[in-house]
């Protein structure tokens, strides 16, 4: 009998990234973690608000990803803000390194989730937004909200 595929369980989402950047491409990467960090993530204690990704010597790392210490972990707990290695294929890292070398591109973690019992990070290849782009997005969201509100009121 085949085991059921469990759906992806979202741990952390980076809404700020969508506000500050245009997301061009997304990639999935595994994360090298210790046991207590995984247990803490199962409880949903992870934040990627201020995190960023860097490629160094052919390896890819995430900085500023906060994983709260596991309550029952005592001496096995690691530093909550330690640099974590991402697990990707070498050709993907090479492609990303080439894109990041271009002007204006950066790597940002978009979300952290469980997939088949393993912690995964969605890495976004992003281009920074200018202030007027952000204003346009805010205006578009406000217009959409108002039309939805009007539609809701009319249908009651």
């Amino acid at each position: 009998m085949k085991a059921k595929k469990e759906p992806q369980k979202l741990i952390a989402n980076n809404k700020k990234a969508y506000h500050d950047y245009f997301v061009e491409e997304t990639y999935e990467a595994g994360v090298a973690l210790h046991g207590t960090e995984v247990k803490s993530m199962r409880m949903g204690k992870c934040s990627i608000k201020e995190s960023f990704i860097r490629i160094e010597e052919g390896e890819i790392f995430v900085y500023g990803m906060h994983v709260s210490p596991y309550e029952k972990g005592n001496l096995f707990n690691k530093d909550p803000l330690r640099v974590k290695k991402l697990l990707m294929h070498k050709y993907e890292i090479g492609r990303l390194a080439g894109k990041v070398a271009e002007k204006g591109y950066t790597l940002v973690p978009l979300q952290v989730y469980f997939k088949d019992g393993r912690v995964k990070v969605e890495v976004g290849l992003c281009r920074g937004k200018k202030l007027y782009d952000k204003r346009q997005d805010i205006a578009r969201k406000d217009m959409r909200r108002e039309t939805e509100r009007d539609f809701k009121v009319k249908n009651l």
Side-chain angles (χ1 to χ4, degrees):
M1 192 168 127
K2 240 183 188 177
K4 275 188 179 178
K5 287 264 186 183
E6 68 178 62
Q8 293 181 356
K9 182 187 170 217
L10 188 67
I11 301 169
N13 197 358
N14 193 353
K15 291 180 183 177
K16 189 177 177 195
Y18 291 102
H19 181 263
D20 292 340
Y21 301 100
F22 291 114
V23 179
E24 305 281 322
E25 297 176 34
T26 60
Y27 295 87
E28 184 178 75
V31 189
L33 296 170
H34 292 277
T36 54
E37 290 175 323
V38 176
K39 288 180 179 183
S40 182
M41 282 191 172
R42 287 206 187 280
M43 295 168 65
K45 300 199 174 172
C46 175
S47 172
I48 54 172
K49 272 193 178 117
E50 299 295 323
S51 59
F52 60 96
I53 296 173
R54 215 178 258 164
I55 299 174
E56 297 169 357
E57 298 172 16
E59 293 182 329
I60 187 166
F61 298 95
V62 63
Y63 290 82
M65 181 171 149
H66 187 277
V67 179
S68 298
Y70 183 57
E71 296 161 2
K72 300 173 184 137
N74 56 42
L75 77 129
F76 297 108
N77 280 331
K78 300 290 180 192
D79 178 30
L81 286 172
R82 77 178 182 86
V83 179
K84 292 156 190 70
K85 184 178 178 180
L86 296 181
L87 308 171
M88 291 178 83
H89 291 284
K90 197 169 268 190
Y91 68 89
E92 286 180 319
I93 295 173
R95 182 186 298 150
L96 286 174
K99 293 271 191 176
V100 170
E102 290 179 30
K103 188 177 179 218
Y105 282 106
T106 187
L107 294 172
V108 179
L110 301 175
Q111 56 184 337
V112 180
Y113 54 91
F114 277 106
K115 182 178 177 185
D116 299 329
R118 291 182 165 83
V119 178
K120 301 286 183 178
V121 174
E122 188 176 79
V123 177
L125 181 66
C126 303
R127 207 167 23 92
K129 284 186 182 177
K130 302 280 189 251
L131 186 60
Y132 57 84
D133 292 326
K134 293 179 190 178
R135 286 186 187 142
Q136 286 174 349
D137 278 356
I138 291 169
R140 211 175 295 129
K141 284 179 188 172
D142 287 344
M143 291 263 292
R144 186 179 50 81
R145 262 192 228 115
E146 285 177 25
T147 55
E148 285 175 359
R149 193 178 302 126
D150 292 343
F151 184 72
K152 186 178 177 183
V153 169
K154 288 177 186 174
N155 286 341
L156 284 177

